[in-house]
Amino acid sequence: MASARPRTTAPEVPGDTGSAAPGDTAPEVYGSTVADSLWHLLDLLGRQAPAERFAGAAAAARQAGAGPADLARVEAATDTALGIRRTLDQHRRREAELSALFDTAGDLAALSDLDAVLRAIVRRARLLLRTDVAYLTLNAPAEGDTFMRVTDGSTSAKFQQLRLGMGEGLGGLVAQTARPYASADYRADTRFKHTAVIDAGVGEEGLRGILGVPLRVGSRVIGVLYAADRTPRDFAPDQIALLASLADHAAVAIDSARLLEETRAALVELSAATATARAQSEAMRRAAETHDRLTDLVLRGGDVSDLAAEIAALLDGGLVVQDADGTELARVGADSATAPARGVAASRGSGHAVAVDGVWVSAVLAGPEPLGSIALSGRPDLTDSDRRLFERAGLDTALLLLLRRSVAEAEDRVRGELLDDLLTAAHASDPRRAGRLCLRARRLGVDLAEPTSVLVLTCEGDLRTRLLTEAARRARTLRGLAGPQGGQVVLLVPTAAPGPLAERLAADLGVAVGAPVTCGAAGPAEGPAHLPAVHAEALRCLRALTVLGRTGQGASLSDLGFVGVLLGDHTDVDGIDGYVQRVLGPVIDYDSRRGTELVRTLDAYFEAGASLSRAKDALHVHVNTVVQRLDRTARLLGPDWNSPDRALELQLALRLNRLRRPPGTGPA
């Protein structure tokens, strides 16, 4: 074999239609020797010529008349050159794939948003495998299936919404077994569990050849990556390996993006928690400072008005403070003088401030005992910290009201002791003791030099403690004294008109106590020395009201007239009823049976001074009617009914009958 010599061209082989390789400047010319043919094969390898060009060397040697041995060498060299070319092509392809994988890994590492990561994975899979469609499903452990997460190249909405149960279809099998599966034609492939839903989605997308590989993080499968064509296709092992490598990168990127999102969410939650903790700390600090200020104000002797002004300034609103009975104790910058009753009840039940009609209400409690309420207006948008501050103000208000009640109870004890001393007869004969009592009264704000009356109140036995509390509060308002005496409650009040006051107190305290309160009154006393006697008269009045059946009413003996004087020392109600029945019984019974008005006519006749004309005017009837009624009365009572003795008895019985009935109900 002659030694090869460099040459750039060779004789053209007949039938050689291959195009020139990159860099060729002239048609190929083959030599006639084996060495020329071998040199040309090496030249084709160096120029990365197409595979069909390599057959030209053997054809040229055969045309040049090469012997069998030389021809065999040329053909063997051609096969070797083609093998080298295939190996170089594989290396170049692998190099390109590795370069693409490295690029993919870099792209995925640069992405932080999970959706962007998933879209980049599917797009790169479609490009690397040159398929019509690529898509990715993620596992849902809670539901026990895998669902379509992102697609690239897909056009079917049904396909894009597919969910695959574990073991169903190609993807479900990959997700369940964590192994890659490929199908040249999925429609005809019986290796997989076909379902109507999956086949409908795949059919609508038109997919035939499908390759699926698992997305694994350690030993855990988180999803499946797919590459698919709309025509049947066999996926080579190197293509399966390529998609699996991409899936491994993708799984790491997906897990990293998920961890990054969780870290971001945790940081956001931590930041929010820090801000909340900072706000709560600031609110607690402000609440503690406010509580210290309000407590100091209470302990320094501030009253309810001072406390209300401080709270209103802190919360920038109007404030109303009420006691347990709804009596206003203080008001600062508020239009309404009362707190909504349903707001007070709701706050008492929940133990927190509540908003009612734009007004915040907080019940003032001492344990379960209601002491009152505070109402804040002008702040419908109260923040949580201000609401807690408002509730804390309720505690300070409760402290102040408890202190006030303790002081009031101590003062009531002092007032009660003074009342006991004033109502005993011992000081009446001792001017010096009377003077000391007047001085003690003046220190308590009671001036005994004013006209002073005594009122005695009573109610059901189990409510007398409540009655004493209410009477003491009313006595402080009236600049008087109150205390228990002999099972009743006694008030010493500076007034010259005890009757109207007794009537008013009986009504008001009856409502406050929730039961009828009877009040007997007397006075005014002509100086402190006469108070025991006035007290005794008030007791007689109370007994007279009880005898007359006027429980729940208030009056003085002067309001009852001579009947009160007569009955003051008697408590026999049955005896009074018996007297009225004995004197007026026939007339009362006749009226009851017939519906007539003989008792009323008889009462009007005596009230008119036995004048028929004035009686008929009072009754608004004709004088003959009065005469007829009196005639009927005479037949019932006897002909001497109008004699002086019988007339006195009848008038007394009529007066007793009238006083036994509540005012305003008319005669019996």
Side-chain angles (χ1 to χ4, degrees):
M1 180 182 299
S3 61
R5 57 186 182 276
R7 57 185 299 174
T8 57
T9 61
E12 184 176 355
V13 178
D16 184 5
T17 60
S19 60
D24 288 348
T25 59
E28 294 174 325
V29 179
Y30 296 91
S32 59
T33 66
V34 173
D36 291 337
S37 297
L38 295 177
W39 174 258
H40 187 66
L41 289 173
L42 292 174
D43 185 46
L44 291 176
L45 286 173
R47 287 187 289 141
Q48 302 179 17
E52 59 271 16
R53 287 279 198 71
F54 286 79
R62 189 179 300 106
Q63 187 178 6
D70 291 338
L71 187 60
R73 291 191 187 97
V74 172
E75 290 177 348
T78 299
D79 293 339
T80 301
L82 287 173
I84 294 172
R85 184 185 183 283
R86 285 193 297 272
T87 301
L88 290 175
D89 285 345
Q90 290 175 355
H91 285 308
R92 282 193 295 270
R93 187 169 61 253
R94 175 60 62 184
E95 181 180 357
E97 292 173 352
L98 289 175
S99 177
L101 286 175
F102 290 143
D103 292 342
T104 300
D107 293 343
L108 295 178
L111 296 174
S112 58
D113 179 66
L114 181 59
D115 288 336
V117 169
L118 298 179
R119 286 193 297 270
I121 290 169
V122 173
R123 188 177 302 110
R124 189 59 59 92
R126 183 185 177 197
L127 292 175
L128 286 177
L129 271 74
R130 297 181 178 86
T131 56
D132 297 327
V133 181
Y135 51 100
L136 183 148
T137 60
L138 291 180
N139 291 359
E143 288 78 8
D145 62 5
T146 181
F147 63 95
M148 193 72 68
R149 183 67 170 79
V150 63
T151 64
D152 189 73
S154 171
T155 59
S156 168
K158 181 182 294 185
F159 178 76
Q160 294 167 9
Q161 297 172 4
L162 275 180
R163 297 189 74 96
L164 293 77
M166 292 299 181
E168 295 178 355
L170 183 146
L173 190 59
V174 174
Q176 184 182 50
T177 62
R179 295 175 56 189
Y181 281 90
S183 176
D185 189 354
Y186 179 77
R187 298 180 186 177
D189 200 331
T190 59
R191 294 177 300 161
F192 309 109
K193 180 181 178 181
H194 290 262
T195 66
V197 174
I198 297 174
D199 288 352
V202 173
E204 186 173 291
E205 189 63 55
L207 299 183
R208 305 292 293 276
I210 303 176
L211 169 63
V213 296
L215 296 168
R216 286 180 292 194
V217 177
S219 59
R220 181 168 55 93
V221 177
I222 63 172
V224 180
L225 178 62
Y226 305 83
D229 268 344
R230 293 188 173 91
T231 57
R233 173 175 174 175
D234 286 319
F235 290 93
D238 58 342
Q239 292 175 326
I240 297 175
L242 176 61
L243 191 62
S245 298
L246 181 61
D248 290 339
H249 286 295
V252 173
I254 290 172
D255 196 54
S256 298
R258 179 184 59 80
L259 292 175
L260 182 59
E261 283 192 354
E262 292 178 355
T263 302
R264 286 174 175 170
L267 289 175
V268 170
E269 292 178 359
L270 180 61
S271 177
T274 302
T276 302
R278 187 179 298 112
Q280 290 179 346
S281 176
E282 177 63 23
M284 291 177 62
R285 183 193 63 78
R286 182 181 175 216
E289 290 180 354
T290 301
H291 182 62
D292 291 341
R293 286 171 56 185
L294 296 180
T295 303
D296 183 63
L297 186 149
V298 171
L299 296 179
R300 284 190 287 105
D303 59 14
V304 179
S305 298
D306 297 330
L307 186 66
E310 188 74 18
I311 298 171
L314 285 170
L315 296 175
D316 192 23
L319 200 77
V320 175
V321 183
Q322 296 177 329
D323 65 8
D325 300 320
T327 302
E328 182 181 315
L329 301 178
R331 177 153 47 122
V332 179
D335 296 332
S336 175
T338 59
R342 57 193 179 97
V344 177
S347 177
R348 185 181 303 169
S350 66
H352 296 285
V354 297
V356 177
D357 300 330
V359 177
W360 283 90
V361 182
S362 179
V364 178
L365 304 172
E369 180 185 1
L371 299 178
S373 66
I374 54 177
L376 178 69
S377 58
R379 286 293 307 277
D381 55 343
L382 205 62
T383 62
D384 288 342
S385 60
D386 283 347
R387 178 181 55 79
R388 288 190 292 269
L389 185 62
F390 181 52
E391 293 172 350
R392 184 71 64 90
L395 297 178
D396 295 300
T397 305
L399 175 62
L400 178 58
L401 294 182
L402 283 175
L403 288 175
R404 282 188 48 174
R405 187 170 69 177
S406 299
V407 171
E409 289 174 351
E411 184 177 320
D412 287 343
R413 285 194 296 271
V414 175
R415 289 173 175 268
E417 293 171 358
L418 175 60
L419 182 63
D420 290 340
D421 293 340
L422 287 172
L423 296 182
T424 58
H427 72 275
S429 59
D430 188 352
R432 288 180 301 177
R433 187 177 180 188
R436 288 194 299 268
L437 291 175
C438 289
L439 181 60
R440 286 170 57 189
R442 194 176 301 115
R443 289 173 180 170
L444 295 175
V446 179
D447 188 0
L448 296 178
E450 297 183 20
T452 305
S453 298
V454 179
L455 297 91
V456 182
L457 302 99
T458 188
C459 66
E460 297 176 13
D462 55 347
L463 295 175
R464 285 178 184 169
T465 301
R466 175 69 172 166
L467 175 61
L468 177 60
T469 301
E470 294 296 329
R473 185 168 62 84
R474 190 61 62 92
R476 286 191 293 271
T477 304
L478 298 173
R479 297 182 298 110
L481 300 174
Q485 286 286 324
Q488 288 93 23
V489 177
V490 177
L491 267 76
L492 206 67
V493 181
T495 179
L501 178 60
E503 184 179 358
R504 187 168 67 252
L505 283 179
D508 294 346
L509 295 180
V511 173
V513 172
V517 173
T518 308
C519 179
E526 297 177 359
H530 295 84
L531 287 175
V534 174
H535 175 223
E537 182 180 343
L539 283 172
R540 289 195 300 272
C541 180
L542 180 64
R543 284 195 293 269
L545 289 171
T546 304
V547 169
L548 292 172
R550 294 176 61 174
T551 301
Q553 300 177 36
S556 65
L557 279 180
S558 61
D559 297 327
L560 300 179
F562 76 93
V563 176
V565 177
L566 293 175
L567 300 179
D569 292 326
H570 302 281
T571 57
D572 187 0
V573 178
D574 293 334
I576 298 301
D577 289 341
Y579 176 79
V580 172
Q581 187 64 30
R582 179 173 59 83
V583 176
L584 283 175
V587 180
I588 294 174
D589 294 341
Y590 188 87
D591 280 347
S592 299
R593 292 194 308 270
R594 304 295 182 87
T596 56
E597 294 186 341
L598 298 184
V599 173
R600 181 166 175 254
T601 302
L602 191 60
D603 197 8
Y605 173 74
F606 284 120
E607 286 291 328
S611 171
L612 294 175
S613 60
R614 289 201 299 271
K616 63 97 175 176
D617 292 337
L619 295 171
H620 304 288
V621 297
H622 195 271
V623 67
N624 291 337
T625 303
V626 177
V627 172
Q628 292 171 4
R629 290 179 180 178
L630 292 178
D631 289 342
R632 173 61 63 183
T633 301
R635 286 195 294 271
L636 293 172
L637 296 178
D640 63 339
W641 69 273
N642 206 12
S643 65
D645 292 338
R646 290 293 304 279
L648 178 60
E649 282 191 345
L650 285 172
Q651 291 182 59
L652 179 58
L654 288 168
R655 180 65 60 88
L656 290 172
N657 186 57
R658 187 190 314 153
L659 292 175
R660 286 170 62 236
R661 301 186 61 80
T665 59

